[in-house]
Amino acid sequence: MEHKRLIPPYSGPPEAFPDSRELPDGVRSVRLTDDMGCRVRFLPDIPYARRSGETQLLHLLLPWDPHHPENTFPLVVYIQGSAWHRQEIFEHLPHMIRVCEEGFAVAMVEYRPSDIAPFPAQIQDAKAAIRFLRIHAEEYSVDGDRIAVWGDSSGGHTALMTGITGDREIDPELYGEVSCDVRCVVDWYGPTDIASMNEYPSAMDHIQPDSPEGYLIGRKNVLENRELAARTVPMHYLRRDIPTPPILILHGSRDPLVCFHQSCMLYEKLRALDKPVEMYKLEGAFHGAGGFNSHQALKICVEFLSRYLKEDSKI
């Protein structure tokens, strides 16, 4: 019986692999170009800390190139909004997959909810996650020198507090041998001054002990506990003589939960201190809708992240 000649395994570069010339009758031959970004790996349920009787987890999205598995990627730490309660951690998974397809690793970080641990537990957890990822950067193929933090709503507040205070204040008490400083911050409609939120139109109360803001400071009335509330204000941690990572703010003009003025206060304070900041008012947009679920919004954010994580720039 005649055997066909066996061909040894190909060992050259993928782009030089030989084209098949076969074309059976009826087969349509087309040439397409990949335009959907890279493939994505998902590494869920990575424990990074244990506090308040719970294990805190993060979930990692990694760009994946099977031909170059040794690549490392700049990292975006994403903090999901939840009114500081327990998070629906995958609510923005479609957004983050698209960010990952642009060449960024994305870590979606869970924090302790405010009914278990009030402020500043959320900021401490975000910082602990950043430090954990720096320690394990090689294991997870991330670049520990190129990290950004991004959040929406209460997650935007946590991202701002994390980025602005860095290693200076609100210590996470874990992994103290490494830094939790970040290159830049993306804030989507985050609250910035909880004591002033009821001074503007809103679809909810922000003062009473059972409000999200009341829970944040230990289930207390916000206006009766202004000193506690003041600790949560990111503007109070800004200093002219201390560097602040560049901040990008997106906020809808018709946000019924976190009024647009909350971002204006932060933006104006950053401008007054000559801090690097960009802000977009999304006309007619609501709280996370009416423009945030768009390629244009993601493009603004990806271009900002690329400027500070992919170019050779420093804070």
Side-chain angles (χ1 to χ4, degrees):
M1 185 180 203
E2 183 180 351
H3 293 280
K4 292 186 178 180
R5 180 175 64 88
L6 299 180
I7 300 174
Y10 177 79
S11 59
E15 59 272 13
F17 192 81
D19 240 332
S20 171
R21 299 301 181 186
E22 289 186 84
L23 190 64
D25 185 46
V27 172
R28 298 180 181 181
S29 182
V30 298
R31 184 173 295 276
L32 306 177
T33 301
D34 290 334
D35 60 3
M36 294 178 60
C38 65
R39 293 160 62 181
V40 174
R41 294 174 63 202
F42 183 39
L43 305 179
D45 301 325
I46 300 171
Y48 71 87
R50 182 167 178 81
R51 283 174 155 176
S52 303
E54 293 191 349
T55 299
Q56 287 77 53
L57 303 174
L58 62 85
H59 313 272
L60 193 59
L61 298 169
L62 287 173
W64 177 242
D65 181 351
H67 304 304
H68 301 282
E70 74 284 356
N71 284 351
T72 59
F73 304 96
L75 174 65
V76 176
V77 173
Y78 189 77
I79 304 167
Q80 173 62 50
S82 61
W84 297 286
H85 294 305
R86 196 169 300 279
Q87 299 155 290
E88 292 288 344
I89 195 69
F90 300 124
E91 186 173 331
H92 278 90
L93 181 60
H95 294 76
M96 293 303 108
I97 288 175
R98 288 174 170 84
V99 171
C100 189
E101 288 174 343
E102 295 291 337
F104 299 92
V106 178
M108 296 174 289
V109 172
E110 298 180 12
Y111 58 47
R112 284 170 289 171
S114 58
D115 48 325
I116 291 177
F119 181 90
Q122 299 71 34
I123 290 83
Q124 290 173 326
D125 289 352
K127 291 183 176 184
I130 291 168
R131 289 181 169 182
F132 171 89
L133 287 161
R134 274 208 166 97
I135 292 170
H136 296 276
E138 184 175 356
E139 177 183 350
Y140 293 122
S141 301
V142 300
D143 187 339
D145 292 327
R146 298 174 186 268
I147 299 178
V149 62
W150 179 353
D152 72 288
S153 193
S154 63
H157 173 265
T158 301
L160 288 167
M161 290 292 298
T162 297
I164 289 172
T165 63
D167 288 325
R168 296 186 293 111
E169 298 168 271
I170 311 181
D171 195 293
E173 302 171 356
L174 291 174
Y175 317 120
E177 67 273 21
V178 297
S179 172
C180 59
D181 281 343
V182 297
R183 285 273 190 106
C184 60
V185 180
V186 178
D187 162 36
W188 278 16
Y189 45 88
T192 62
D193 184 353
I194 63 173
S196 69
M197 293 182 74
N198 268 29
E199 296 173 8
Y200 288 79
S202 179
M204 63 185 299
D205 173 73
H206 302 281
I207 293 173
Q208 299 304 318
D210 60 352
S211 69
E213 294 73 21
Y215 264 100
L216 179 65
I217 60 171
R219 206 168 186 184
K220 302 178 187 299
N221 183 290
V222 172
L223 298 186
E224 294 173 3
N225 293 273
R226 288 183 177 272
E227 186 174 339
L228 287 176
R231 293 179 59 212
T232 73
V233 176
M235 291 81 81
H236 290 173
Y237 297 87
L238 294 167
R239 305 287 184 273
R240 184 180 294 277
D241 59 336
I242 297 177
T244 301
I247 295 174
L248 171 66
I249 305 167
L250 274 69
H251 206 133
S253 66
R254 299 177 65 188
D255 192 321
L257 300 181
V258 178
C259 70
F260 182 73
H261 182 69
Q262 290 284 304
S263 286
C264 293
M265 288 189 290
L266 172 63
Y267 176 77
E268 290 169 352
K269 180 68 171 181
L270 289 165
R271 286 284 298 267
L273 295 176
D274 297 318
K275 301 298 185 182
V277 59
E278 301 174 33
M279 181 171 168
Y280 288 81
K281 179 181 184 179
L282 273 61
E283 293 286 352
F286 301 97
H287 193 71
F292 288 95
N293 300 317
S294 69
H295 293 294
Q296 295 96 321
L298 282 180
K299 184 174 185 287
I300 290 169
C301 297
V302 166
E303 288 179 351
F304 176 83
L305 292 168
S306 297
R307 196 178 318 143
Y308 295 104
L309 297 188
K310 289 188 175 181
E311 297 178 8
D312 214 11
S313 58
K314 297 288 184 181
I315 294 173

